[in-house]
Amino acid sequence: MKNESTTLKVALCGPGDVSKEIQIAQEVIDEWNQTNWEATGLGLIARHWKTNSAPDMADRGQRVIDRQLIDESDLVIGIFWSRLGTPTGLAESGTAEEIDRAIHRDIRTMVYFSELEAPNQRIDVNEVSRLEEFRQRVFRTGLASTFSSRRQFEKDFRKHLGLAVHKILSTRSEADESSPPRENISQSGSNN
């Protein structure tokens, strides 16, 4: 008998300067699947706007990404290094808007800030200031994580991913248990 398979969609979000960290997160998710999917019947699908969104002229670009990527996610991962990203008109950046939207929709969200030193040619004082303001807002709002090496990010993300998946599944299980049982509805009788 084949196991029923369930999937959780994981959105990977960040400005262009964290492409290596996004790749590391993707590799950790792939590793999780290789180790756990067959045994547990649960798979994780990593998604990023560059590979999992389609052109749509019905709305502004970030709103399209939000609908196609964030709204359908079970877990959102935001990663920052030396850039906050491009403002959207509604938020400090696309990634900031994705994180805010996920939190507003009660989607489990994990945010990471790199403490790696940025190369001198990349330093933009205005961008660093915007990122620091956002970082302070995030740490006032909830619990975020920092890392000082990519190896540390990989190790921490691997552990945090397992904890997040466990929490998502236990929350779903609790919701299923607290749902009232369905009543049998009869189609016969004089009042139908």
Side-chain angles (χ1 to χ4, degrees):
M1 182 174 163
K2 250 186 179 175
N3 287 343
E4 283 190 36
S5 188
T6 303
T7 58
L8 296 179
K9 294 178 181 176
V10 181
L12 303 174
C13 309
D17 65 336
V18 294
S19 59
K20 289 182 182 177
E21 287 79 3
I22 296 286
Q23 181 181 352
I24 290 168
Q26 173 69 59
E27 291 168 359
V28 169
I29 290 168
D30 290 346
E31 176 187 291
W32 193 97
N33 284 331
Q34 289 173 356
T35 305
N36 297 291
W37 196 334
E38 189 173 342
T40 64
L42 174 71
L44 307 179
I45 300 174
R47 302 174 51 169
H48 189 267
W49 76 269
K50 287 184 178 180
T51 54
N52 297 97
S53 60
D56 184 343
M57 299 305 295
D59 212 335
R60 63 187 179 85
Q62 186 60 51
R63 173 81 175 182
V64 170
I65 292 170
D66 291 344
R67 278 185 306 159
Q68 292 180 3
L69 186 71
I70 303 305
D71 294 355
E72 297 180 6
S73 294
D74 300 291
L75 176 62
V76 172
I77 311 300
I79 308 168
F80 297 92
W81 181 19
S82 63
R83 297 188 61 240
L84 181 57
T86 306
T88 66
L90 295 180
E92 301 97 318
S93 73
T95 305
E97 185 172 322
E98 292 161 359
I99 290 167
D100 290 343
R101 186 174 181 100
I103 292 168
H104 178 74
R105 292 177 166 271
D106 290 326
I107 298 169
R108 188 165 185 87
T109 305
M110 300 191 308
V111 180
Y112 294 85
F113 291 96
S114 172
E115 294 181 342
L116 290 166
E117 190 171 323
N120 287 337
Q121 70 268 20
R122 286 190 174 176
I123 295 177
D124 175 341
V125 177
N126 184 42
E127 189 71 10
V128 170
S129 175
R130 291 176 58 235
L131 177 60
E132 185 55 32
E133 286 176 25
F134 177 75
R135 179 182 168 130
Q136 289 177 17
R137 178 171 69 90
V138 167
F139 276 100
R140 282 191 308 267
T141 304
L143 180 62
S145 184
T146 61
F147 59 94
S148 55
S149 71
R150 289 188 174 109
R151 179 171 284 160
Q152 180 190 359
F153 171 69
E154 179 180 354
K155 178 182 172 203
D156 289 349
F157 181 67
R158 182 176 289 113
K159 179 177 74 171
H160 299 160
L161 180 64
L163 293 170
V165 168
H166 176 74
K167 184 65 175 171
I168 291 167
L169 294 177
S170 66
T171 300
R172 282 185 178 179
S173 178
E174 290 170 8
D176 290 345
E177 290 173 6
S178 67
S179 297
R182 291 186 173 180
E183 294 181 24
N184 290 333
I185 300 173
S186 173
Q187 293 291 328
S188 61
S190 60
N191 293 329
N192 285 338

